[in-house]
Amino acid sequence: MNNQPLIRLKAITKRFKGVIANDAVDFDLYPGEVHTLLGENGAGKSTLMHILSGLVQPDSGSIEIRGESVNIRSPYDSLRHGIGMVYQHFALVPNLTVIENIILGFEEGLILNRKRTESVLKQIFKEFELSLPLDEKISNLSVGERQRVEIAKALFHRSDVLILDEPTSVLTPIESEELFNTVFSMRRMGKAVVFITHKLKETIGISDRISILKLGKKVAEMSGEDLRQVGEEEGYRRIFDVMFDNTQLPKDTTTIKRSSEEMPILELDQVVCLGNFGEMRLKKLSLKLNKGEIFGIAGVDGNGQKELAEILAGQRKVVSGRLILDGNDITHEEGAGTRTDLGISYITDDRMQEGCALSMSVAENSILRLFKRPPFSRRKIMNKANINRHAEALIREFDIKVSGPDVDVGTLSGGNIQKILLARELSLHPKVLVCNKPTQGLDAKTTRYVKDRLQQESVRGTAVLFISSDLDELLSCSDRIGVLYDGELLDIVNRCDANRENIGKLMLGIRQ
Amino acid sequence: MLFEEALFVTVLASTLRGSMPMLLAALGETYAESAGILNLGIEGMMVAGAFASFLVGLQTNMVPLGFLGAAIIGAVLGGIIGFLVIGLRLNQIVVGLGMTVFTSAFCNLLHRIIFGSQFPMLWGAGMTTEIPVLSKIPIIGQPLFNQHWLVYVTLALVPVLYFLLYRTSLGLRIRAVGETPWAADASGVNVYGIRYLTIILAGVLASTGGAFLAIGDLAFFIPDMVKGRGYIAIVVVMLGRWNPIKVFLGSLLFGFALSLTSALQVAGLKVSPDFILTMPYLVVILTLIIIAKSTSLPAALCVPYKRGE
Amino acid sequence: MKQILYDKAAPAANSILSVISAFVVGGVILLFIGKNPFTLYGQLFLQGMGSSLGVIETIIKMAPLLMVSAGLLVAFSGGLWNLGVEGQFLMGAILTGWLAPKLVPFLSLPVYFITLGGIGFAGGMIWALLPAILKARYNLNEIIITLMMNYVALNLVTWMVKGPINDLSVVPAQTKLIPMTHRMPMIPFTRIHLGLIIGLIVIIGVYWIIRRTTMGYQIRVLFANKRAAIHTGMNVKRIIVWSLLTSGGFSGLAGAIDVLAIKGLFQGGWNPMYGITCIPLVFLARLNGWAVIPLSYFFSFLVVGGEFVARDQGVPVFFVHVLEGLMLLSFAAGEHIGKGRVT
């Protein structure tokens, strides 16, 4: 390692609306190293790197690049200093092609020169063993491909530094391996890589150095080599000790053994449905859901999860096949309202944009599905007192942190908004609860709360369809796991037979 | 035969002439919308351009200065709207409506104060330029090649603006800013700069379109003369899906609908002009119904951008 | 629209400041055109608010503003830009002007008024039907369609009064005069017709519907988040059609009442342009029905006072529209400043 760091962040502090995101954080990066930023959601990892990429301005602190103090006021400045970032929600324009996205911002000259760009890209692709369809629109690419476009873009910009923000959260285990290979070859070329993650295993696997952030503070720096030498168990323990107080150790949710008898409540029979652009998203999918079980749906994002949830919730049409609830064919009883009345509830994965009306109050949001029923309205006239009473009861029961039912939902935190959704759907006492990534973006405590509530619901006899892209989460609380790949249910694995490896392979479409 | 030829020539000439104001405005709007700005102030910009060109032309007694004046006013109005919706991130629809109401009323106010109830003519306006040789082609020569000079300039602008939007780095940046502004920003593109550029261009072109109406096609200003052409230009852009070539074809369609009034007079048909006057708007609505299924707007249209939000 | 409206806690301060800053900028414009703003504004208030003639005229003119605003309130509460109120108004007006004289011999007075009110309402609804269907079915932008419908209506009604439904006995194109016995009755002991009472009932009724009924609740959810409305099982298409049609209906009703109470007939080329007045009005009221009432008085005063001043001071009536445009702009700007202060 050289003595001169490529990048040195000194005492970076950043507050958002009074909440501290980075508290005097130091961070440095040397050429040819992989430096991992590890921490829980909300620990300030992304913010720190957004400061380096120019998307966020620090309140105080300084940045040095190659020994010189610099001021990064915009992504433009950052790019010109040779810093490339792969954002968690890719900074790509879906309607433009791969090549257009790659050259955006670095076109060189007014008139686009395709030939020159193509030859440069070919060279880069060869060097880093990448391949991409240059004339395909981004919207037609898989998540893994999109990530490669961003990496190719950074390489095209001749970045010396590549920042990867939670890159593996959207990848299958095998795609992750490919990504790591790319990272290693970049390291060989003397480039520096910052790797943001909250996953321990890959952290130990690929890092030269690890910085651990907790509540905006840097709490430790470790050497990856040391951790690999002491063995996996001990390595985990060391990191755990720093990341969590002992009391906070996330325990695996307790297993509740249920009777093994199968009582199917919901049945999907050869269901076919289309996506938003008329493409086939579910291909003759069949599935039986039993009373009182949690059925996990694993799969990489975009393999039909959302469509599966939406046909059950009545928000999407079934093209062919049947849906049977409690012995009755409900295929053609469409519409979210109808399905709610039939006893199917749905917690959407898009809680902000779809799940609630941010500019309306908690009370008004709590009855979004119930407003037509007494006692909330009679003869089309709303009863405000009853609505408020209902909302207050839910606030108490679900421990929602809000000063009263009249507060706008938009002012609450993501975790509390998710609790409102959970409360709203559970207050319907559904027979079937469909939830799509219900813990996404929540802190550890709320995640645990949500999972516990789902467990309780299933004990009460509700069938829970639990869709998630987080394999560990599924393994910890599902009774059975079905793997969705390209609109098909490849296999259903019982909890006792499921492990990261066999499910991971299925997620990639590899059958045993 | 002679009668039919006269009709054809009239329709062709007045279609081309009548489509110019909308085409100019629509070309500008294409750029603004591609970068994510829906400019409902376009109607007001056209009124302002019409009035400014007439006023400047009359004061200086030089018609070309009138067009220059309109372009400058258009740039200023574009800059103001830009400041409100890009700089201050105000609601584009409210700002657009407010600007249209304000500028139209302000021009009418000035017109009434300066000219009272008179509508003087600007002598020398509306002159055509005959292109040698080409204008001698039988039948189509006169309608196509004996037009106002701005008609030729505008027609030349169509391929230029197409090339700029789809074949250059500037165009790539404009399209990126309209679709996913934060991604463009993260790629080092100056989102605000691009948006200001397009709205100012939209202002210049819309006002020039208004100027063509007042001192290119005609030679006077009357308060209601724009009559929704700005809004029609927005429809033309939807119809042409942000492609300047298709936008040109769309403008011709509405120019044709507008030219029906004079055409039917030439044809000697007795249809009430008031009824014919509804034609362009009915064509607009019909078009919208036909294209209804296939229109989509740039993803970030009407959405203000602020880094980190 | 989402960011701008519906801040429950926000005070009336922004609305008042918007009006004041519009007057200030308007004053600068007056200076620019060589008028003394103090004299002009002084005369405006003196004649519009200080004379009984001005006050009574102002109150009479409130009726259509209240009804058109009620229509806009329904649409804007659902996030639907009904900018076609002028066309809807004209359709209600022309149908009433055309059919009223024909109905005079057949109907008793109460039935006659109710029928014509219904006809006016239906006229406005018909003119809102196409934008409503296109919005609901294809999610086609209602802004452009409603605006285009205005231009169609303007030319269509001119054509109609010149031809098919013309009262051929008089020179300016118009419909048959409605006999004085069949005009809108006055509020006892005043010169103010009953339209004011109807307008007040309509605006309060509409506001109650929006705040307290399940339909109003669904309209507000549609405004706040259309995807959430679909997600929770609301029939979004029905809500869109319902609110746009109702919106058009009230504009049409305003047209009917203006014809029945004031004009007595429909004249070619008549267009009071209530849209330009009522859109800023409803914004400044922040979609609050109660706030619409004083603002209607204020805007009506501007229009009436503006006419007086135009006569006396030589400032064309367009100046009122200049002020209205400025109010829209300063309202939008005020929301921005307000937001900045909160965070």
Side-chain angles (χ1 to χ4, degrees):
Chain A
M1 234 181 259
N2 300 340
N3 286 332
Q4 165 107 315
L6 202 52
I7 286 171
R8 171 164 279 165
L9 302 181
K10 276 194 231 156
I12 297 288
T13 299
K14 176 69 188 174
R15 281 188 176 78
F16 288 112
K17 291 179 185 170
V19 179
I20 196 139
N22 286 151
D23 190 356
V25 179
D26 295 324
F27 178 87
D28 51 14
L29 185 65
Y30 290 86
E33 77 161 340
V34 177
H35 191 158
T36 297
L37 265 178
L38 184 68
E40 271 201 278
N41 280 318
K45 307 173 302 241
S46 293
T47 303
L48 187 65
M49 287 303 114
H50 284 170
I51 287 171
L52 189 53
S53 78
L55 217 53
V56 173
Q57 300 300 307
D59 297 333
S60 65
S62 66
I63 303 174
E64 275 176 23
I65 297 178
R66 295 180 196 89
E68 276 175 48
S69 177
V70 296
N71 215 340
I72 298 179
R73 282 179 306 258
S74 70
Y76 180 87
D77 292 345
S78 173
L79 289 163
R80 291 304 181 269
H81 285 300
I83 298 167
M85 177 145 182
V86 174
Y87 292 89
Q88 197 178 357
H89 314 283
F90 308 121
L92 298 170
V93 185
N95 235 6
L96 299 181
T97 62
V98 170
I99 191 165
E100 284 175 323
N101 267 286
I102 288 176
I103 59 170
L104 181 64
F106 282 77
E107 300 93 343
E108 294 181 7
L110 181 66
I111 294 167
L112 299 175
N113 186 339
R114 194 192 152 90
K115 259 191 192 147
R116 195 179 54 206
T117 313
E118 226 180 303
S119 68
V120 174
L121 278 176
K122 266 198 189 126
Q123 184 64 31
I124 291 171
F125 285 180
K126 219 169 83 185
E127 233 171 291
F128 293 90
E129 292 171 40
L130 291 167
S131 78
L132 281 167
L134 287 184
D135 291 306
E136 198 66 63
K137 278 189 178 175
I138 297 295
S139 53
N140 296 334
L141 298 190
S142 73
V143 180
E145 285 173 313
R146 290 180 197 205
Q147 192 175 66
R148 284 204 289 279
V149 175
E150 284 235 291
I151 292 171
K153 184 170 176 164
L155 295 171
F156 181 75
H157 296 175
R158 309 194 181 290
S159 307
D160 301 321
V161 177
L162 184 73
I163 305 166
L164 296 158
D165 191 356
E166 306 251 0
T168 57
S169 61
V170 291
L171 300 182
T172 60
I174 287 183
E175 281 177 321
S176 299
E177 285 304 318
E178 285 172 13
L179 172 71
F180 297 150
N181 284 334
T182 311
V183 168
F184 291 143
S185 57
M186 293 184 71
R187 178 167 60 183
R188 270 199 307 278
M189 310 281 292
K191 294 180 189 291
V193 178
V194 181
F195 197 87
I196 303 176
T197 186
H198 61 264
K199 296 181 182 170
L200 304 186
K201 190 169 176 173
E202 60 194 34
T203 302
I204 296 179
I206 68 161
S207 314
D208 297 314
R209 259 193 313 157
I210 301 158
S211 288
I212 299 175
L213 291 190
K214 187 176 158 188
L215 297 171
K217 278 201 174 100
K218 183 165 164 181
V219 288
E221 193 178 305
M222 301 176 181
S223 145
E225 198 50 48
D226 290 353
L227 291 177
R228 280 190 288 276
Q229 274 174 3
V230 296
E232 205 171 66
E233 279 303 309
E234 174 62 14
Y236 283 172
R237 204 194 52 74
R238 285 193 194 174
I239 296 176
F240 259 77
D241 283 348
V242 184
M243 274 177 78
F244 305 97
D245 301 331
N246 278 332
T247 48
Q248 272 191 337
L249 262 179
K251 275 170 271 172
D252 214 290
T253 332
T254 43
T255 316
I256 302 154
K257 207 71 211 148
R258 290 184 207 89
S259 59
S260 55
E261 60 176 317
E262 293 185 356
M263 290 176 58
I265 174 115
L266 178 74
E267 195 182 336
L268 285 81
D269 181 25
Q270 306 266 319
V271 169
V272 173
C273 85
L274 302 179
N276 294 341
F277 303 102
E279 77 283 19
M280 201 188 274
R281 293 317 297 265
L282 291 183
K283 299 166 181 170
K284 297 202 172 178
L285 186 129
S286 296
L287 165 69
K288 269 185 193 156
L289 207 57
N290 294 322
K291 250 186 190 167
E293 79 167 334
I294 297 184
F295 190 102
I297 296 281
V300 178
D301 276 353
N303 272 292
Q305 291 94 328
K306 187 148 184 92
E307 289 78 8
L308 173 62
E310 287 185 353
I311 57 152
L312 293 176
Q315 284 177 230
R316 190 176 289 272
K317 277 196 164 74
V318 173
V319 177
S320 72
R322 292 187 310 156
L323 294 180
I324 295 152
L325 180 72
D326 243 353
N328 303 313
D329 189 332
I330 58 159
T331 317
H332 299 294
E333 300 189 33
E334 284 158 347
T338 317
R339 292 289 163 81
T340 305
D341 294 341
L342 288 168
I344 300 178
S345 269
Y346 169 36
I347 298 174
T348 169
D349 57 337
D350 194 348
R351 66 182 81 105
M352 300 291 195
Q353 304 302 321
E354 186 179 29
C356 63
L358 293 173
S359 61
M360 294 176 86
S361 69
V362 172
E364 285 176 311
N365 271 282
S366 72
I367 53 148
L368 272 171
R369 285 194 197 274
L370 283 166
F371 70 96
K372 276 183 183 158
R373 298 182 192 171
F376 307 117
S377 70
R378 282 200 178 85
R379 280 193 226 118
K380 308 207 170 197
I381 295 168
M382 314 276 288
N383 185 326
K384 198 159 186 248
N386 287 342
I387 295 168
N388 275 345
R389 216 169 295 138
H390 174 71
E392 276 161 8
L394 292 181
I395 290 170
R396 268 195 306 278
E397 189 191 334
F398 287 82
D399 191 27
I400 300 165
K401 299 274 182 298
V402 59
S403 55
D406 287 331
V407 176
D408 280 357
V409 168
T411 62
L412 304 185
S413 70
N416 279 310
I417 293 177
Q418 186 68 347
K419 282 182 174 178
I420 292 173
L421 261 61
L422 192 68
R424 184 175 77 211
E425 304 304 329
L426 293 186
S427 70
L428 296 160
H429 303 297
K431 293 177 190 164
V432 175
L433 176 65
V434 180
C435 37
N436 195 357
K437 299 194 202 161
T439 63
Q440 182 177 247
L442 303 184
D443 59 44
K445 204 176 147 208
T446 317
T447 299
R448 178 117 55 91
Y449 181 85
V450 170
K451 284 205 273 189
D452 285 349
R453 271 322 279 237
L454 295 179
Q455 294 272 8
Q456 286 169 27
E457 256 332 274
S458 71
V459 171
R460 213 176 287 161
T462 309
V464 179
L465 190 76
F466 186 15
I467 302 172
S468 174
S469 51
D470 186 337
L471 202 48
D472 298 317
E473 176 173 277
L474 285 172
L475 289 168
S476 76
C477 68
S478 317
D479 296 296
R480 290 188 294 159
I481 297 176
V483 183
L484 203 54
Y485 177 79
D486 197 21
E488 288 179 83
L489 208 53
L490 278 198
D491 201 358
I492 297 171
V493 186
N494 278 321
R495 174 207 212 111
C496 45
D497 305 325
N499 55 48
R500 278 189 66 90
E501 204 187 318
N502 59 11
I503 303 285
K505 273 187 180 158
L506 285 166
M507 283 165 74
L508 278 178
I510 301 162
R511 279 177 225 249
Q512 270 91 348
Chain B
M1 186 59 211
L2 190 72
F3 161 74
E4 279 175 23
E5 190 186 311
L7 182 64
F8 176 77
V9 166
T10 312
V11 169
L12 192 59
S14 63
T15 296
L16 201 54
R17 216 169 44 236
S19 62
M20 281 307 124
M22 284 172 308
L23 175 57
L24 278 162
L27 287 173
E29 179 69 14
T30 300
Y31 271 66
E33 282 190 21
S34 294
I37 299 173
L38 176 67
N39 176 23
L40 279 183
I42 191 170
E43 179 84 4
M45 288 170 162
M46 289 186 81
V47 176
F51 182 63
S53 67
F54 176 73
L55 194 64
V56 173
L58 202 65
Q59 295 293 324
T60 60
N61 212 6
M62 283 171 78
V63 178
L65 281 185
F67 284 105
L68 186 66
I72 292 170
I73 284 292
V76 170
L77 288 175
I80 292 173
I81 291 185
F83 173 70
L84 294 173
V85 305
I86 304 163
L88 297 183
R89 300 194 301 282
L90 305 184
N91 182 299
Q92 294 183 4
I93 297 172
V94 180
V95 167
L97 278 178
M99 282 300 282
T100 289
V101 170
F102 170 75
T103 43
S104 313
F106 186 57
C107 292
N108 295 349
L109 180 77
L110 280 183
H111 184 269
R112 182 67 62 83
I113 284 176
I114 298 171
F115 300 106
S117 301
Q118 313 243 293
F119 299 99
M121 297 274 284
L122 174 58
W123 295 106
M127 299 289 276
T128 57
T129 308
E130 207 167 332
I131 294 182
V133 187
L134 289 176
S135 61
K136 298 290 185 288
I137 301 172
I139 307 180
I140 60 161
Q142 281 297 311
L144 292 187
F145 300 107
N146 186 14
Q147 291 276 11
H148 193 271
W149 60 266
L150 189 56
V151 174
Y152 309 127
V153 173
T154 310
L155 292 179
L157 264 183
V158 173
V160 170
L161 289 178
Y162 174 83
F163 185 82
L164 199 59
L165 192 56
Y166 288 99
R167 295 280 183 274
T168 67
S169 55
L170 179 68
L172 178 64
R173 290 174 177 213
I174 290 172
R175 287 178 291 140
V177 163
E179 279 290 332
T180 323
W182 84 270
D185 188 17
S187 307
V189 173
N190 183 345
V191 175
Y192 302 114
I194 294 275
R195 286 194 166 171
Y196 269 110
L197 185 74
T198 60
I199 185 70
I200 289 171
L201 178 70
V204 169
L205 290 178
S207 288
T208 310
F212 181 81
L213 201 60
I215 64 169
D217 195 5
L218 305 166
F220 51 84
F221 175 84
I222 44 172
D224 291 337
M225 72 191 315
V226 177
K227 284 201 167 77
R229 280 181 176 81
Y231 301 130
I232 295 180
I234 293 176
V235 178
V236 169
V237 176
M238 284 168 78
L239 181 67
R241 303 184 63 101
W242 310 279
N243 177 334
I245 311 272
K246 290 183 187 164
V247 163
F248 166 60
L249 298 177
S251 306
L252 283 184
L253 175 67
F254 296 112
F256 175 70
L258 279 169
S259 75
L260 279 180
T261 336
S262 44
L264 290 174
Q265 272 162 4
V266 173
L269 288 175
K270 283 230 163 110
V271 183
S272 159
D274 293 295
F275 187 72
I276 298 171
L277 281 175
T278 63
M279 288 299 293
Y281 310 107
L282 288 176
V283 171
V284 171
I285 291 168
L286 271 175
T287 313
L288 282 171
I289 294 172
I290 293 165
I291 62 169
K293 278 184 190 168
S294 59
T295 56
S296 63
L297 298 170
L301 194 66
C302 280
V303 183
Y305 179 66
K306 188 184 179 196
R307 186 177 292 155
E309 269 185 5
Chain C
M1 190 138 81
K2 204 155 283 174
Q3 312 94 309
I4 290 215
L5 296 176
Y6 243 92
D7 193 341
K8 282 169 227 159
N14 180 23
S15 300
I16 293 166
L17 280 175
S18 303
V19 172
I20 292 172
S21 49
F23 269 83
V24 172
V25 180
V28 175
I29 287 171
L30 285 172
L31 278 176
F32 171 68
I33 61 173
K35 305 280 173 188
N36 183 338
F38 296 103
T39 328
L40 188 109
Y41 285 146
Q43 283 299 312
L44 185 71
F45 279 90
L46 203 65
Q47 302 203 17
M49 290 193 178
S51 72
S52 64
L53 180 69
V55 172
I56 289 171
E57 280 294 307
T58 300
I59 291 175
I60 292 172
K61 272 253 165 77
M62 275 175 75
L65 296 189
L66 286 169
M67 280 177 265
V68 172
S69 299
L72 285 177
L73 199 64
V74 178
F76 286 2
S77 293
L80 298 164
W81 291 94
N82 178 12
L83 302 183
V85 288
E86 276 154 27
Q88 292 145 11
F89 175 92
L90 288 176
M91 292 321 276
I94 195 167
L95 285 183
T96 311
W98 175 35
L99 295 174
K102 294 187 192 293
L103 293 176
V104 165
F106 303 110
L107 301 176
S108 66
L109 266 183
V111 180
Y112 162 88
F113 281 120
I114 290 168
T115 312
L116 284 171
I119 286 172
F121 200 92
M125 279 172 81
I126 290 169
W127 219 240
L129 185 64
L130 187 68
I133 291 175
L134 290 177
K135 174 75 180 175
R137 184 106 174 74
Y138 300 116
N139 195 22
L140 199 58
N141 193 323
E142 73 280 12
I143 298 175
I144 298 296
I145 311 233
T146 49
L147 280 169
M148 286 297 117
M149 294 297 280
N150 283 342
Y151 292 100
V152 176
L154 259 171
N155 291 301
L156 194 69
V157 295
T158 314
W159 171 67
M160 278 170 81
V161 286
K162 278 188 187 167
I165 61 167
N166 193 357
D167 169 17
L168 295 168
S169 60
V170 282
V171 176
Q174 61 187 44
T175 57
K176 270 207 172 71
L177 195 66
I178 302 167
M180 289 309 287
T181 49
H182 284 69
R183 302 285 181 84
M184 185 65 81
M186 300 292 160
I187 299 172
F189 313 112
T190 65
R191 300 202 295 106
I192 300 161
H193 64 83
L194 270 179
L196 178 71
I197 307 289
I198 299 173
L200 289 171
I201 294 171
V202 163
I203 186 71
I204 296 310
V206 159
Y207 191 52
W208 182 83
I209 288 173
I210 292 169
R211 300 302 307 178
R212 288 282 178 264
T213 66
T214 52
M215 181 45 92
Y217 173 73
Q218 293 179 79
I219 288 176
R220 286 184 292 124
V221 173
L222 178 69
F223 175 87
N225 187 346
K226 185 177 174 182
R227 284 182 63 199
I230 297 168
H231 172 64
T232 53
M234 293 176 190
N235 187 341
V236 167
K237 292 177 179 171
R238 215 184 113 229
I239 307 168
I240 289 172
V241 171
W242 192 95
S243 62
L244 276 178
L245 288 192
T246 313
S247 180
F250 285 119
S251 298
L253 181 66
I257 287 176
D258 256 16
V259 166
L260 283 175
I262 297 174
K263 293 291 251 186
L265 49 75
F266 187 90
Q267 233 169 7
W270 177 51
N271 177 19
M273 302 218 280
Y274 288 131
I276 291 184
T277 305
C278 289
I279 290 168
L281 193 166
V282 173
F283 272 102
L284 291 179
R286 302 175 146 269
L287 299 185
N288 182 321
W290 294 105
V292 167
I293 298 171
L295 281 166
S296 287
Y297 178 79
F298 180 72
F299 275 78
S300 175
F301 143 76
L302 276 185
V303 174
V304 170
E307 279 166 12
F308 287 151
V309 175
R311 243 174 284 148
D312 298 354
Q313 304 283 317
V315 175
V317 278
F318 297 120
F319 183 66
V320 174
H321 289 324
V322 169
L323 284 180
E324 285 165 350
L326 285 171
M327 278 182 218
L328 264 181
L329 291 173
S330 51
F331 175 78
E335 290 298 288
H336 167 77
I337 296 162
K339 249 188 290 177
R341 211 175 31 227
V342 172
T343 50

